[in-house]
Amino acid sequence: MDGSVKKLIAEELERQRHGFELIPSENYVSGGVLEAAGSIFTNKYSEGYPSFEGLTEWDDEKIAETVLPSRRYYGGQENTDRIERLAIARACRMFKADHANVQPHSGAQANNAVYNAWLEPGETILGMSLAHGGHLTHGSPVTLSARIYNFVNYGIKDVETGEIDYDELEKMALEHKPKIILVGYSAYPREFDYERVAEIGAKVPGCLLMADMAHVAGLIVGGVHKNPFDYGFHVITTTTHKTLRGPRGGLILSRGKVGNPLKKPEKTLENIPTLIDRSVFPGTQGGPLMHVIAAKAVAFGEALEPGFKQYAAQIVKNAAVLADEMKQLGFKLITGGTSNHLILADVQGSFGIDGKEAETAIDRIGMSLNCNSIPNDTLPPFRPSGIRLGTPALTTRGLTEKEMPQIAKWMKAAIEARDDEPKLATLKKEVEKMAVKYPLPSDRAE
């Protein structure tokens, strides 16, 4: 390997080993996921899709051994077809979906592919406001999708409790008649009422119900959060990292009739799985990253193991304890706490500093989180009032409720010592001492 690159990889490995990751959208993958992501599949172009025609048994062993005629535009696909079929089948089992598209390179591309599958330019999407915790792809004017489609945004009714204003959401849906009602977030510490949203969507003809579950997909698979499909949603999009503990990438799950992606179907909600396949390729991206799809297949297999349920439950337990400890130390928490893996704290209101100052101080003692805007923030996005953190990666390392008070104390101590170099150095050594007791998954013996 190139010496400079090898050196930087080694330095990043040491950074991760000797500190803790608190960013709620990051996690640590297993050795198996890393091995697949770096596999020989990176050499293969595989534009198109594998066929399931004639495959009646969907167990892993049967899928892995069955070679079927390919629907690709290149030859040499007998192995890529099987690895992608395996990833699709596992994803469907995880979420109780009729179909899965495992090709999106990211969560943003997954969202854009769904928009492209169902909407015409100028049609309306009703999604959560970025200012209240939504994602960039849910209507931020800086994105390409916001230049193509008409986004209208709903938000939080009560910042203290985090309650979504569902009455206002319904009013907006009846007024704007959106073609998509979108739920999901990047900085919201609570859970949606999917049943209420589905009732609203049923009042809008031709409305597709879409849930961007990038942050909580692992919690859904682990059974500690509700599955939007159980309430009538048509589509779930997600990333495959975060709480799913897979490689960086995207995933689209859907309910409906699964057809041949080479044949254009009628534009109906029933045909949304095939419409999405055609929207991903050739609609919005070219060749899939087969080495990443192989890594997704590994991660999905891990998520289907019994131990993943314990992992998901522990994420939520850890987050609840960490939030309580932070409150006791004077952190003002948006929505008063958390119901998932994520915590949003107002450090400007708590300690008189902006989120970037807090992020920098905490990073210097070996714990990473990110500054983040809070609802109705008066500060600019790069130096907002809040910080965002979570427990997926801490839980993967093996930390439990009993370590959460110390994590909270270190955060508070770093903020207080942000101008005290010797104190920061001492705190960093304390963090390192604990971190090395909890190896990265890829460092553990298989």
Side-chain angles (χ1 to χ4, degrees):
M1 185 189 291
D2 176 291
S4 297
V5 173
K6 186 174 183 178
K7 178 176 180 291
L8 290 171
I9 290 174
E11 289 180 5
E12 176 60 16
L13 176 58
E14 290 307 299
R15 185 194 73 83
Q16 292 190 23
R17 281 173 172 164
H18 291 88
F20 287 123
E21 190 58 72
L22 276 66
I23 296 173
S25 53
E26 296 189 12
N27 214 326
Y28 305 104
V29 301
S30 69
V33 171
L34 277 181
E35 183 179 359
S39 70
I40 202 73
F41 277 110
T42 195
N43 293 343
K44 193 69 190 117
Y45 243 121
S46 302
E47 290 182 344
Y49 290 100
S51 171
F52 282 84
E53 190 173 347
L55 186 65
T56 57
E57 297 181 54
W58 273 51
D59 64 277
D60 288 359
E61 185 176 350
K62 193 66 176 178
I63 290 172
E65 69 182 23
T66 302
V67 177
L68 298 172
S70 185
R71 290 171 175 165
R72 311 280 190 178
Y73 291 84
Y74 295 80
Q77 305 291 347
E78 59 268 24
N79 297 316
T80 54
D81 277 0
R82 286 184 286 173
I83 200 72
E84 186 166 343
R85 271 197 295 269
L86 191 61
I88 290 169
R90 288 176 174 178
C92 288
R93 288 204 295 271
M94 287 193 305
F95 288 92
K96 298 184 288 186
D98 292 328
H99 187 53
N101 190 303
V102 299
Q103 293 191 8
H105 302 329
S106 69
Q109 286 189 262
N111 285 347
N112 287 330
V114 177
Y115 302 160
N116 182 61
W118 191 239
L119 301 176
E120 298 298 327
E123 290 188 323
T124 300
I125 303 170
L126 178 57
M128 191 170 188
S129 167
L130 177 65
H132 283 210
H135 189 257
L136 280 169
T137 57
H138 300 177
S140 171
V142 301
T143 62
L144 177 61
S145 56
R147 297 173 61 185
I148 300 173
Y149 310 110
N150 175 44
F151 283 86
V152 290
N153 294 131
Y154 60 87
I156 296 173
K157 180 179 182 179
D158 185 345
V159 176
E160 296 300 319
T161 64
E163 182 185 358
I164 300 292
D165 193 339
Y166 292 104
D167 291 336
E168 179 64 18
L169 196 162
E170 179 172 3
K171 180 180 177 182
M172 294 176 75
L174 295 175
E175 176 186 352
H176 296 281
K177 295 179 172 52
K179 291 296 292 292
I180 294 177
I181 293 180
L182 171 61
V183 301
Y185 48 83
S186 64
Y188 179 62
R190 300 297 179 180
E191 190 172 12
F192 278 88
D193 185 343
Y194 303 117
E195 184 174 15
R196 179 82 168 92
V197 175
E199 290 172 353
I200 294 169
K203 298 178 181 180
V204 183
C207 181
L208 182 141
L209 296 173
M210 175 180 172
D212 179 349
M213 298 289 97
H215 268 272
V216 295
L219 305 185
I220 293 170
V221 173
V224 293
H225 263 230
K226 299 184 181 83
N227 185 339
F229 282 143
D230 292 340
Y231 299 90
F233 274 66
H234 305 103
V235 174
I236 293 175
T237 60
T238 181
T239 51
T240 48
H241 42 289
K242 301 187 177 75
T243 51
L244 268 180
R245 285 200 300 200
R248 302 191 70 82
L251 172 66
I252 307 172
L253 304 124
S254 53
R255 286 276 179 89
K257 181 181 177 182
V258 182
N260 184 345
L262 298 179
K263 298 178 180 179
K264 185 177 180 179
E266 183 183 357
K267 196 171 183 180
T268 65
L269 287 171
E270 183 185 26
N271 288 331
I272 197 65
T274 311
L275 291 167
I276 287 170
D277 277 353
R278 291 174 61 85
S279 180
V280 172
F281 175 81
T284 54
Q285 63 182 50
L289 307 178
M290 292 310 305
H291 56 300
V292 178
I293 289 175
K296 290 176 183 179
V298 174
F300 298 165
E302 293 172 353
L304 288 166
E305 293 173 358
F308 195 85
K309 291 186 181 296
Q310 285 77 49
Y311 165 67
Q314 191 63 54
I315 289 174
V316 176
K317 291 176 185 175
N318 284 351
V321 173
L322 181 56
D324 287 343
E325 292 294 331
M326 289 175 66
K327 285 198 293 185
Q328 291 183 31
L329 292 172
F331 285 88
K332 181 181 178 181
L333 303 187
I334 303 303
T335 79
T338 182
S339 303
N340 55 32
H341 66 303
L342 184 152
I343 299 166
L344 187 61
D346 176 3
V347 290
Q348 179 68 37
S350 305
F351 309 113
I353 64 170
D354 64 55
K356 195 65 180 179
E357 289 180 274
E359 174 195 302
T360 300
I362 295 167
D363 196 40
R364 289 172 69 185
I365 69 167
M367 300 199 305
S368 301
L369 46 69
N370 66 279
C371 62
N372 208 95
S373 296
I374 62 173
N376 308 314
D377 206 334
T378 58
L379 296 183
F382 193 69
R383 303 196 74 90
S385 298
I387 54 173
R388 185 186 70 149
L389 61 144
T391 54
L394 291 176
T395 308
T396 294
R397 289 285 285 270
L399 278 70
T400 63
E401 299 100 316
K402 70 180 190 301
E403 286 82 27
M404 294 304 108
Q406 184 59 67
I407 297 294
K409 289 173 184 174
W410 277 330
M411 290 169 56
K412 174 73 177 295
I415 290 172
E416 292 177 336
R418 60 189 179 276
D419 297 319
D420 186 340
E421 293 292 340
K423 178 62 175 176
L424 290 171
T426 298
L427 291 169
K428 184 175 177 64
K429 288 179 181 178
E430 292 177 7
V431 172
E432 288 180 354
K433 186 177 180 181
M434 180 187 284
V436 296
K437 295 178 181 178
Y438 297 93
L440 302 179
S442 52
D443 285 340
R444 298 170 194 160
E446 295 292 337

